[in-house]
Amino acid sequence: MEIKEYLDARKLLKEFTYDITPMDKGYSDKTLHINLSGNAITIKNVPQEMKEKFIGGKGYGLKYLWDATTPETKWNDPENEIIIAGGPVCGITQYSGTGKSLVVTISPQTDSVMDSNVGGFFGPFLKVCGFDALELQGKAQNEVIIVLDSRDGGKIRIEEAPKEPIDSHALSELLTEMYSKDEADKMKVAVVSAGTAADHSLIGMLNFSFYDKKKQRVRLKQAGRGGTGTVFRDKKIKAVVAIIPKFGGDINNVVDMKAIRERGANFNKEMKELDDSQCEMRTKGTAHLVEIMNDYDLLPTHNYKFGSHPDADNIHSEKWKALFMQGTPDGCWMGCNMSCAKGVNNYLVRTGPYKGESVIVDGPEYENAGGLGSNCGIFNTDYIIEANFYCDTYGICTITWATLMAFLMECYENGILNEERTGGLKLNFGNADSAMELLHQLARGEGFGKIAGQGVRKLKKYFAEKGWGDPQFMQDIAMENKGLEYSEYVSKESLAQQGGFALTNKGPQHDEAWLIFMDMVNNQIPTFEDKAEALHYFPMFRTWFGLVGLCKLPWNDVEPANNAESDEPAKVPEHVDNYVTIYKAVTGRDFSKERLIEDSERVYNYQRMFNLRRGYGVRKWDAQPYRAAGPVTNEEYESRAERYDNQLKEIVGFDPEGKSTDEKRIALREYRERQYQSLIDAVYLRRGWDENGVPEMEFLKKIGMDLPELVDLRTKYDKGEWKLK
Ligand code: SF4
């Protein structure tokens, strides 16, 4: 179809003009609210208190979501919102990893608040359009596209758009073409979209586009976790587009550009000198991790049963390096020298509706290789690329899909599923064809694919209700916590990482804390108190990236040459100092590394209280599936028998000599489950929470979060008046 035909079919529902407020020290103090139920468009002023307490990004998302919803709001109620917000640092280009925005919503998977950190151009472009945040509320009657156009003053249009495709790669390319006059203009268009699988599942995600002028391709970054794309499609939004007139080097109108440039230049020098000998992010992206995880027995294999596999060489990072187009910049935001957004260019699609098309596939990243690949027993690069492409364009989270597929495969191998129950699909580990077909079924909203799209938590319940398997076994092997599927690391031998996954606010995603090397490999945090300290510091530190609009990767995926000699190498102190300097230089605010943690702590605890408001946020929901902590089956135990026998003898005080595998496995389980409870106690204490995991009133006061809504909630909870789920 010609572009004109798409445009001719459009119907303008609302046009709104406004004066663009330019950023000043990282903020405009204006946010945009769009309610699709009545096509109402409003610009709000950000109160000073909100700015001080919530900083930006995820903080703004949480605050707006709290105000917009009630404890009873369901994910598909019109009042649920999708909030997209950068943060004060988002949009600078002189330091790597500075274009991130945060997506916040009530999740269809967890029924609580979800946040997802995403690259691409939209976050910074929203700021060029004059807004610190965008709230999308209500539901459109028919399919709409929302356009924020700042080329000639500020204009916002809500248009019915019946003809445009839904799948992300096709829609993002079309809209980028539609809103640009020439090749150079394509850099000024940013598209947020989902895909057809988001229509039929709870695991939908959002794609944020960025134009790669060297490859002349529209590329995609994902706000993957927790079903953000499902909420987007439920509101009947096909896309949100931001168009800007030009991009200057200082959209934030910062206080001290010289300081930012200096830190940026130092960092770029480090990247140039050290990346090839450290993580090789510029040539392999995060896929460099595959063999490291395999070597340390951390690469999830066969639904996290094992941590390594002889065939892992087939998906080794050198294989990815050879497939990734090399020698062109791969930053998902301008000026990112880490350039980790690798992609397979000119990939010829082999299956499904786009068979025969030549596309660019963004990734695979480590999580895709470890999840779609080894965790499902499929050690095949072609399959991983194909599944990665379809997850992206269909708008579903690759991590979720991978962990879910691995769960289904283990269920299949244990007779919980069979061909009759899957509609003819043989879902044994390693079956790439069936796995691919299930994904296409989901996008079509058909068959067992549609059931699979409900996510692991609902699947295990469904299988149990059908009487298909032992509920306890399914509970043990279903790798979800709080309703969100685990990301792709084996945490069995790292108690701290078990907490790093299950003691998170949104569910087990590694963006809060990744402590496996500190804990398991380097033994730097041996006691419960040490682990609790790490499970305080790192989640708070990493939360801050999502408040200000930063990418976490440049923090520690390259480290200064002398980092190991610093006081606390795991914190990468020189890079922390870079962030403190940059934040001060953008905002002019008095700041320090201590204040950084304090800023995060306020928002982190607000999110914990938000979970409580939703009926969660207590100890019960911090439980982990036993597969995350130890061997569920005798097969698993025996695969690492020497390790486990030694632990029983030397740590647990249980003599394994002459004991059956069952006896040993049970003894180990009792020990590990006790350890996890002790870890929870230590972490709650360190975080200022009571023994049920609720922030203490005194603590909320101490950190300046004794806001009326939190005091009211905590008081009702204390009186037993708060309904928990
Ligand atoms: S490090 Fe990678 S993910 Fe982060 S901003 Fe740069 S290209 Fe994007």
Side-chain angles (χ1 to χ4, degrees):
M1 255 173 92
E2 295 294 314
I3 284 179
K4 185 173 176 310
E5 290 176 67
Y6 291 109
L7 289 171
D8 285 348
R10 294 259 184 106
K11 181 177 161 198
L12 183 66
L13 299 177
K14 174 88 177 184
E15 186 165 57
F16 177 88
T17 55
Y18 66 100
D19 293 328
I20 296 171
T21 305
M23 293 288 140
D24 181 29
K25 305 184 190 78
Y27 294 94
S28 65
D29 294 331
K30 305 270 181 215
T31 63
L32 176 63
H33 184 276
I34 297 178
N35 192 324
L36 290 164
S37 293
N39 296 316
I41 299 177
T42 320
I43 294 176
K44 295 181 181 175
N45 293 316
V46 177
Q48 186 60 24
E49 195 196 12
M50 172 162 158
K51 193 169 161 181
E52 283 166 13
K53 301 273 189 210
F54 293 91
I55 308 299
K58 174 160 95 169
Y60 279 19
L62 292 169
K63 175 67 178 145
Y64 280 137
L65 190 64
W66 184 300
D67 291 347
T69 59
T70 71
E72 288 77 36
T73 299
K74 300 274 181 296
W75 71 269
N76 53 358
D77 284 342
E79 71 258 31
N80 188 19
E81 291 196 339
I82 295 169
I83 299 114
I84 303 173
V89 180
C90 170
I92 67 167
T93 57
Q94 297 78 11
Y95 195 87
S96 291
T98 46
K100 294 279 183 165
S101 49
L102 268 285
V103 181
V104 175
T105 193
I106 290 172
S107 161
Q109 286 195 265
T110 69
D111 186 38
S112 196
V113 59
M114 181 57 52
D115 61 276
S116 208
N117 180 321
V118 60
F121 288 177
F122 188 85
F125 285 10
L126 180 65
K127 295 181 80 173
V128 177
C129 293
F131 302 113
D132 294 340
L134 165 65
E135 292 173 83
L136 297 167
Q137 197 178 31
K139 287 194 196 192
Q141 281 180 348
N142 298 308
E143 297 283 357
V144 295
I145 289 178
I146 299 165
V147 182
L148 316 183
D149 188 346
S150 60
R151 285 176 298 189
D152 184 19
K155 250 191 217 84
I156 298 160
R157 290 189 299 276
I158 306 172
E159 297 177 7
E160 264 184 25
K163 295 258 163 102
E164 282 81 352
I166 290 172
D167 287 339
S168 269
H169 83 289
L171 181 57
S172 303
E173 279 167 21
L174 172 67
L175 295 176
T176 303
E177 189 75 40
M178 186 180 281
Y179 292 110
S180 46
K181 288 191 293 294
D182 52 32
E183 187 62 23
D185 250 11
K186 291 181 181 170
M187 293 289 289
K188 301 168 196 162
V189 180
V191 180
V192 180
S193 60
T196 45
D199 285 355
H200 305 298
S201 73
L202 302 181
I203 62 173
M205 59 90 178
L206 291 173
N207 285 296
F208 281 50
S209 77
F210 63 106
Y211 191 69
D212 184 331
K213 65 178 173 193
K214 281 278 189 276
K215 299 188 187 78
Q216 300 195 328
R217 293 273 199 178
V218 176
R219 303 186 57 187
L220 303 172
K221 274 297 214 181
Q222 292 76 34
R225 306 311 319 268
T228 55
T230 301
V231 181
F232 191 82
R233 290 297 302 137
D234 183 64
K235 294 184 180 301
K236 284 211 164 63
I237 306 172
K238 275 190 179 168
V240 183
V241 187
I243 314 166
I244 63 167
K246 63 178 173 29
F247 190 81
D250 183 14
I251 62 167
N252 282 307
N253 197 12
V254 305
V255 174
D256 184 358
M257 183 56 86
K258 186 166 163 279
I260 301 171
R261 283 214 177 93
E262 272 171 18
R263 298 296 172 132
N266 285 347
F267 180 82
N268 291 348
K269 192 160 167 283
E270 264 173 39
M271 278 305 300
K272 198 161 163 239
E273 291 172 358
L274 301 171
D275 182 51
D276 288 344
S277 60
Q278 292 187 11
C279 292
E280 302 176 272
M281 293 292 277
R282 292 176 307 169
T283 50
K284 296 174 173 175
T286 56
H288 77 272
L289 286 166
V290 175
E291 58 269 25
I292 299 173
M293 294 303 124
N294 193 56
D295 290 349
Y296 282 99
D297 208 23
L298 297 166
L299 182 72
T301 305
H302 293 185
N303 194 29
Y304 303 85
K305 270 200 269 188
F306 316 116
S308 58
H309 195 282
D311 293 344
D313 276 356
N314 297 342
I315 56 169
H316 187 287
S317 68
E318 288 298 327
K319 305 269 183 200
W320 298 116
K321 186 177 175 183
L323 288 161
F324 293 150
M325 188 174 176
Q326 300 290 341
T328 59
D330 272 318
C332 74
W333 171 238
M334 297 174 208
C336 183
N337 261 35
M338 187 159 261
S339 260
C340 82
K342 312 321 292 178
V344 180
N345 207 0
N346 299 324
Y347 173 74
L348 207 59
V349 182
R350 293 153 203 255
T351 66
Y354 303 108
K355 185 175 173 179
E357 261 190 42
S358 171
V359 296
I360 185 164
V361 184
D362 282 284
E365 298 182 26
Y366 163 74
E367 300 285 335
N368 312 133
L372 301 167
S374 59
N375 214 6
C376 296
I378 307 173
F379 298 92
N380 175 331
T381 51
D382 285 342
Y383 166 78
I384 294 168
I385 297 167
E386 180 97 2
N388 192 159
F389 166 72
Y390 270 113
C391 281
D392 286 354
T393 199
Y394 284 159
I396 58 165
C397 172
T398 43
I399 294 176
T400 298
W401 183 249
T403 300
L404 180 163
M405 181 72 73
F407 170 69
L408 293 178
M409 287 178 161
E410 191 168 359
C411 287
Y412 190 89
E413 299 225 335
N414 282 279
I416 298 164
L417 293 174
N418 53 37
E419 279 180 79
E420 194 188 327
R421 291 169 186 170
T422 63
L425 293 176
K426 291 188 179 66
L427 286 176
N428 47 299
F429 284 119
N431 196 327
D433 289 346
S434 291
M436 209 58 238
E437 176 51 26
L438 194 71
L439 183 51
H440 292 313
Q441 278 187 6
L442 174 58
R444 296 194 299 266
E446 288 173 3
F448 192 65
K450 197 168 176 192
I451 295 169
Q454 300 303 295
V456 165
R457 181 193 267 189
K458 289 197 165 55
L459 285 172
K460 70 179 169 187
K461 189 162 173 274
Y462 177 76
F463 297 165
E465 281 165 5
K466 291 266 181 195
W468 290 351
D470 172 14
Q472 183 59 52
F473 177 67
M474 288 190 280
Q475 173 64 29
D476 287 346
I477 66 164
M479 288 294 282
E480 63 88 13
N481 152 275
K482 302 181 176 73
L484 190 71
E485 289 76 6
Y486 274 68
S487 64
E488 309 301 332
Y489 299 95
V490 171
S491 54
K492 285 177 188 147
E493 300 308 317
S494 169
L495 181 61
Q497 186 55 35
Q498 291 167 33
F501 274 136
L503 301 180
T504 45
N505 270 328
K506 69 166 173 263
Q509 166 76 353
H510 54 280
D511 62 347
E512 271 200 19
W514 198 89
L515 302 172
I516 298 181
F517 272 24
M518 266 186 99
D519 190 29
M520 181 190 109
V521 179
N522 301 328
N523 198 23
Q524 290 166 313
I525 44 176
T527 67
F528 285 116
E529 287 67 30
D530 296 334
K531 292 183 206 309
E533 185 56 39
L535 282 166
H536 177 261
Y537 177 80
F538 288 100
M540 299 310 142
F541 176 68
R542 292 167 73 134
T543 289
W544 188 74
F545 289 106
L547 303 187
V548 299
L550 286 171
C551 173
K552 167 262 155 196
L553 297 175
W555 161 55
N556 70 346
D557 277 62
V558 66
E559 293 176 349
N562 59 356
N563 187 55
E565 290 139 39
S566 63
D567 289 351
E568 297 176 291
K571 294 183 180 174
V572 199
E574 192 179 311
H575 286 180
V576 174
D577 192 60
N578 284 351
Y579 291 124
V580 169
T581 302
I582 288 166
Y583 180 81
K584 278 203 301 208
V586 171
T587 63
R589 188 174 164 228
D590 187 24
F591 201 58
S592 64
K593 62 181 183 181
E594 290 78 19
R595 284 194 72 170
L596 184 158
I597 298 298
E598 287 163 17
D599 282 357
S600 289
E601 202 165 28
R602 285 196 304 277
V603 175
Y604 194 90
N605 280 279
Y606 192 82
Q607 191 167 357
R608 182 73 178 181
M609 291 297 285
F610 205 148
N611 283 343
L612 181 70
R613 184 197 199 211
R614 302 283 313 159
Y616 305 96
V618 293
R619 191 173 186 119
K620 172 181 165 189
W621 300 102
D622 290 336
Q624 61 179 343
Y626 186 61
R627 175 62 58 74
V632 172
T633 62
N634 286 355
E635 177 200 18
E636 269 170 282
Y637 189 99
E638 282 160 9
S639 77
R640 307 289 186 272
E642 195 184 334
R643 175 195 298 163
Y644 296 139
D645 282 358
N646 279 340
Q647 289 178 3
L648 284 175
K649 208 165 11 185
E650 288 163 18
I651 305 172
V652 183
F654 177 94
D655 184 0
E657 200 54 43
K659 303 290 192 312
S660 70
T661 304
D662 269 339
E663 288 170 308
K664 292 190 290 186
R665 182 177 49 74
I666 289 165
L668 188 67
R669 180 168 185 155
E670 282 169 1
Y671 172 75
R672 290 192 176 195
E673 287 183 335
R674 278 199 312 275
Q675 292 286 101
Y676 183 63
Q677 292 307 322
S678 300
L679 178 78
I680 293 181
D681 290 338
V683 172
Y684 285 178
L685 189 66
R686 177 61 188 93
R687 288 185 181 174
W689 299 352
D690 66 19
E691 69 285 353
N692 202 23
V694 179
E696 301 273 16
M697 189 77 92
E698 280 310 306
F699 178 70
L700 291 173
K701 278 187 197 147
K702 188 178 137 208
I703 63 172
M705 275 320 240
D706 49 339
L707 304 174
E709 65 264 37
L710 299 195
V711 170
D712 182 53
L713 176 56
R714 174 77 220 200
T715 307
K716 285 185 176 136
Y717 168 79
D718 281 338
K719 289 182 183 163
E721 291 170 5
W722 198 251
K723 203 161 153 254
L724 296 173
K725 290 184 176 148

